[in-house]
Amino acid sequence: MFSPQQGAQRSYILQLFVIASISIVFLRFFYLQVITSKYKIIAFENAVYKKIIYPDRGIIFDREDKPLLNNMSTYYLVITPKLFKNMDTSYFCSILEIDIESFKKKLNALIYKNGIYRPVIFQTVFSEKILGKLQENMHQFNGVELEERTMRYYPSRVGSSVLGYVGEVDSGILKKHNTYALGDYIGLSGLENFYEKTLKGVKGISYVIRDNKNRQIGAYEGGSKDLPALPGKNLRTSISLPIQALAEQLLQNKIGSIVACDPQTGSIIAMASGPVYDPNLLTGQNRNVNFSTLFKDETSPLLNRCIKGTYSPGSTFKPIEAIIGLQEGVITQNSGFNCYGAYTYCGKPFSCTHSSTGHAANLRLAISNSCNSYFFHLFRMIVDNKKYNDPAQGLAAWKKYLNDFGLGRKLQVDLPYEVSGYVPDSIRYNKFFISRWNSCNISSLGIGQGELSLTPLQLLNLTTIIANKGYYYTPHFVNSIDNSNEDEEMILSKYKKKHVVTNIPASVYQDITDAMEDVVLFGTARSAAIPGVKICAKTGTVENKQLVNGAVVKLPNHSLFIAFAPKDTPTIAIAVAIENSGGFGATWAAPMASLLIEQYLKKELRPERQLQAEKIANANLIPQYLLQKKKVRESTEKQAAENNLKAVATD
């Protein structure tokens, strides 16, 4: 028995316990409902789906405001591997019209690359039949979403080397750019890459209510919380679609490049790299397979040879050599040399490519008939110039002229991955030659061979400077951006800046221009003539040695050509390089350039010239050793695939 006092005490303790328990429950309830939003967020996410709205990328237009590329609506099937469970995988695969083994193999590859928590694009859905079935049964598939997106398509099927392509971001890109997420697309090459910030747009958000079966039943709060996507901005370029299309037609089944611009502005009219390919190959469901095929191709169709291919310029280099000689005062327009078809000053005779008896009588004859002997002499006089203490100083002066003309350095065109080419200097030769050296040791530089290596874009810029008699604008594609901001205008402003090259007088350029006109009238490029058009040009034939099966082999020569027209008021400059073509610069490169100049200036080709264009387009100049390597590789891959199928069947 408890005393009354003890009973009261026990009752008091019990009351305190009840009050404390209620207080704890209340405080916990208050904490969960007010202080923390953890469970509120979980409940919200279970009921409301945060859907990313992807913006349309900006369109790229040609100079006539015709779209070079556009956007097409499509659907992406997105899977979050961690959530992809407790469902009928067999039925899911039957809808996709894919077998389970292929499905698992592809999904596992995506998991290996991206992990199990991140949503991944499994495939693009083009079939209306498949799309309808997926939409009807989506509530049965956990961790699966259909995202409406846009993909690129190219109505004219041209411009792959310029426009570039887009691809899904991977972990490497995510480490460099924290503004992207898996599932986003990014420009990987061409204008798509260079102007990525302008073209990509801004993602939006849509909040959608889902029921307990994961079906979307409406907008959250009437869509008031949604954020619209902002489309990317459009680019207005200087590309001429007819010229671009003709350039790519001429480069079919050829390794080489064509690039043309308006010399008065630096605006690029066309840029094509061969072998050409349809840019639509790198969009859609088969993109990865097509990319792999192009990437492995021995002819390197993905390489933009206009800005990444380097060549010895051959005789297309002679006009700048002449400009340096005139400016340095080692020759005049009337300077000549005795020549009987070879340069013999250094003891060993160097024969001329063309029969050149009498062509070294003066500079104009030497350029128009591409006299090697004349330019061997001229290079010797520049490098061994007595006003310099030694040949190293003469070579340094020569190199500075070349750099001022944009040779051996990046021109900063609005494309990624441009290379600088190479202009050698005395450091190289001091290492190579044990004793003192002079012009005889490096004489091949005088005719654009040896260690000298330039890009076709650099040759175009050189041609532009000669056409303008001493100035150029940085070569570029984009003239304006719709609704551009301050940063974008800053980028474009550098393409409007005039660059004057040294202090060479206009009279020097006039001498060279007159000689380059003679190249077409009386010299090595008479086949490039167009009635009623004054063309100034220079051919180039470049010796071509390649490493084939471990041995250095002499292959057919490269054919190069530079030109501008009309002579007195030039509106187009062009550079063409065709590899392994055989013959001379006038054999392939010159007629290609002539056709493009006629199309640009006359707006159409004469009937006989249309036939010539078709004949050139149908010619296959890809060397046999590359075709053989390609054949062997494809045969090996085919055999490996067959062996894999046999192994699977055996298992």
Side-chain angles (χ1 to χ4, degrees):
M1 295 280 302
F2 295 106
S3 66
Q5 184 178 359
Q6 289 176 322
Q9 186 177 7
R10 287 176 62 84
S11 176
Y12 177 71
I13 292 173
L14 182 60
Q15 290 176 9
L16 286 177
F17 177 77
V18 172
I19 292 171
S21 298
I22 293 173
S23 297
I24 290 171
V25 172
F26 176 79
L27 289 173
R28 182 60 178 166
F29 179 78
F30 178 80
Y31 175 78
L32 293 176
Q33 294 296 315
V34 180
I35 304 300
T36 180
S37 58
K38 176 182 176 181
Y39 293 97
K40 183 178 180 180
I41 291 172
I42 292 173
F44 178 83
E45 290 181 344
N46 285 335
V48 179
Y49 171 54
K50 181 181 177 181
K51 185 176 183 180
I52 302 298
I53 307 299
Y54 290 91
D56 290 349
R57 286 181 72 86
I59 310 302
I60 302 178
F61 294 91
D62 77 346
R63 60 172 50 205
E64 301 295 333
D65 290 331
K66 296 177 181 177
L68 294 165
L69 57 74
N70 218 320
N71 295 315
M72 178 174 68
S73 293
T74 188
Y75 283 87
Y76 290 96
L77 184 66
V78 178
I79 297 177
T80 305
K82 177 65 175 177
L83 304 177
F84 188 77
K85 55 188 177 181
N86 301 325
M87 52 171 275
D88 189 344
T89 306
S90 177
Y91 180 51
F92 181 69
C93 290
S94 70
I95 291 177
L96 295 181
E97 298 178 358
I98 183 174
D99 62 85
I100 293 180
E101 286 302 317
S102 298
F103 170 78
K104 289 180 178 179
K105 184 177 180 180
K106 185 173 181 179
L107 184 60
N108 287 335
L110 292 170
I111 291 173
Y112 178 79
K113 184 178 180 181
N114 302 296
I116 63 174
Y117 295 98
R118 294 172 172 173
V120 292
I121 295 176
F122 185 78
Q123 71 178 50
T124 309
V125 182
F126 288 108
S127 166
E128 291 186 7
K129 174 186 173 184
I130 293 176
L131 178 62
K133 285 187 176 181
L134 283 172
Q135 289 174 329
E136 182 180 343
N137 295 278
M138 191 59 66
H139 63 280
Q140 299 184 45
F141 307 135
N142 300 319
V144 179
E145 298 289 345
L146 274 173
E147 288 184 354
E148 186 175 6
R149 304 274 288 270
T150 58
M151 58 175 283
R152 293 302 211 189
Y153 79 96
Y154 305 82
S156 300
R157 300 178 178 273
V158 300
S160 56
S161 57
V162 175
L163 302 173
Y165 53 86
V166 297
E168 189 179 355
V169 301
D170 56 22
S171 56
I173 294 173
L174 290 176
K175 290 178 181 178
K176 297 178 182 178
H177 305 282
N178 57 12
T179 58
Y180 290 86
L182 283 177
D184 290 351
Y185 276 73
I186 187 172
L188 296 175
S189 69
L191 294 175
E192 292 273 28
N193 175 278
F194 191 90
Y195 290 98
E196 167 65 14
K197 289 182 180 179
T198 297
L199 290 167
K200 71 174 184 177
V202 179
K203 288 182 287 188
I205 300 174
S206 176
Y207 295 98
V208 180
I209 300 173
R210 300 188 293 194
D211 64 13
N212 59 352
K213 292 186 177 180
N214 203 35
R215 293 175 295 195
Q216 298 180 11
I217 58 175
Y220 174 68
E221 293 192 4
S224 61
K225 304 294 184 181
D226 294 354
L227 295 174
L230 300 178
K233 299 177 184 178
N234 301 330
L235 305 182
R236 307 286 170 173
T237 75
S238 53
I239 296 172
S240 168
L241 188 53
I243 304 303
Q244 182 71 32
L246 178 57
E248 295 194 16
Q249 176 190 348
L250 297 173
L251 281 175
Q252 289 182 95
N253 296 313
K254 298 169 189 68
I255 299 176
S257 59
I258 296 172
V259 57
C261 77
D262 180 345
Q264 297 177 17
T265 64
S267 300
I268 295 177
I269 297 167
M271 178 182 282
S273 180
V276 296
Y277 66 91
D278 183 347
N280 288 300
L281 289 173
L282 296 184
T283 63
Q285 192 163 340
N286 296 320
R287 178 195 179 278
N288 291 339
V289 173
N290 293 335
F291 181 86
S292 178
T293 301
L294 292 169
F295 182 78
K296 290 185 292 186
D297 194 317
E298 285 71 13
T299 61
S300 302
L302 293 174
L303 176 70
N304 185 347
R305 290 177 163 85
C306 296
I307 61 170
K308 295 190 71 176
T310 56
Y311 305 87
S312 295
S315 294
T316 60
F317 184 72
K318 289 173 180 175
I320 175 100
E321 191 83 357
I323 290 171
I324 297 171
L326 291 170
Q327 183 65 9
E328 286 287 284
V330 297
I331 60 166
T332 67
Q333 177 74 358
N334 298 318
S335 296
F337 304 95
N338 292 323
C339 173
Y340 302 97
Y343 175 68
T344 59
Y345 185 87
C346 294
K348 177 184 177 181
F350 292 93
S351 300
C352 289
T353 303
H354 306 280
S355 176
S356 58
T357 301
H359 292 162
N362 60 58
L363 179 59
R364 193 159 173 172
L365 275 172
I367 289 178
S368 61
N369 292 280
S370 203
C371 177
N372 282 351
S373 179
Y374 190 101
F375 287 93
F376 278 128
H377 278 292
L378 177 54
F379 183 69
R380 169 182 60 81
M381 296 169 72
I382 293 171
V383 174
D384 297 339
N385 194 334
K386 292 182 179 179
K387 77 176 183 178
Y388 301 116
N389 293 328
D390 57 38
Q393 290 187 1
L395 185 66
W398 174 84
K399 177 182 171 68
K400 185 179 186 307
Y401 277 108
L402 267 55
N403 291 156
D404 288 344
F405 275 80
L407 309 180
R409 63 178 177 83
K410 295 179 182 179
L411 292 170
Q412 305 298 328
V413 65
D414 51 349
L415 288 178
Y417 316 127
E418 178 191 8
V419 301
S420 60
Y422 180 67
V423 176
D425 56 21
S426 59
I427 296 175
R428 178 188 180 95
Y429 299 121
N430 289 340
K431 291 180 179 178
F432 187 79
F433 295 104
I434 298 174
S435 59
R436 289 175 63 85
W437 54 269
N438 59 26
S439 64
C440 285
N441 304 110
I442 56 174
S443 58
S444 58
L445 294 176
I447 59 168
Q449 297 262 189
E451 296 79 16
L452 184 64
S453 124
L454 308 176
T455 67
L457 184 68
Q458 290 170 341
L459 285 174
L460 175 70
N461 198 59
L462 167 62
T463 309
T464 292
I465 294 169
I466 297 171
N468 292 335
K469 294 183 172 56
Y471 72 88
Y472 72 96
Y473 292 90
T474 300
H476 61 280
F477 290 94
V478 176
N479 291 331
S480 65
I481 298 171
D482 290 0
N483 304 311
S484 58
N485 58 35
E486 187 176 339
D487 290 340
E488 291 162 341
E489 283 299 317
M490 184 69 70
I491 293 172
L492 297 181
S493 66
K494 72 178 183 179
Y495 300 120
K496 299 172 184 177
K497 182 180 179 181
K498 185 177 182 179
H499 302 276
V500 178
V501 180
T502 66
N503 296 312
I504 299 172
S507 59
V508 168
Y509 290 106
Q510 189 62 53
D511 289 340
I512 303 305
T513 297
D514 291 341
M516 290 177 70
E517 182 183 20
D518 287 352
V519 170
V520 179
L521 292 176
F522 318 111
T524 57
R526 293 187 293 275
S527 61
I530 300 172
V533 179
K534 291 184 177 182
I535 302 175
C536 301
K538 186 68 194 78
T539 54
T541 304
V542 179
E543 190 177 66
N544 176 26
K545 293 181 179 179
Q546 300 284 343
L547 189 66
V548 180
N549 298 325
V552 177
V553 178
K554 190 179 188 309
L555 296 171
N557 292 332
H558 299 328
S559 177
L560 273 68
F561 191 73
I562 59 173
F564 63 87
K567 176 186 178 183
D568 299 321
T569 55
T571 56
I572 182 171
I574 191 166
V576 181
I578 306 300
E579 299 181 23
N580 308 290
S581 62
F584 304 104
T587 307
W588 293 102
M592 288 183 182
S594 178
L595 287 165
L596 289 161
I597 290 171
E598 181 171 336
Q599 176 70 48
Y600 185 73
L601 297 180
K602 303 289 189 178
K603 308 303 179 187
E604 61 181 358
L605 295 176
R606 289 164 286 155
E608 64 270 25
R609 297 279 272 173
Q610 292 176 9
L611 293 175
Q612 184 184 18
E614 291 174 8
K615 183 178 179 180
I616 291 174
N618 291 331
N620 191 330
L621 301 180
I622 296 176
Q624 285 300 313
Y625 84 94
L626 286 180
L627 294 176
Q628 184 61 30
K629 284 179 68 175
K630 183 175 180 179
K631 184 178 180 181
V632 170
R633 174 181 57 79
E634 290 176 344
S635 176
T636 302
E637 290 176 348
K638 182 179 179 181
Q639 186 62 53
E642 290 175 353
N643 291 340
N644 288 337
L645 287 174
K646 289 179 182 178
V648 171
T650 302
D651 292 342

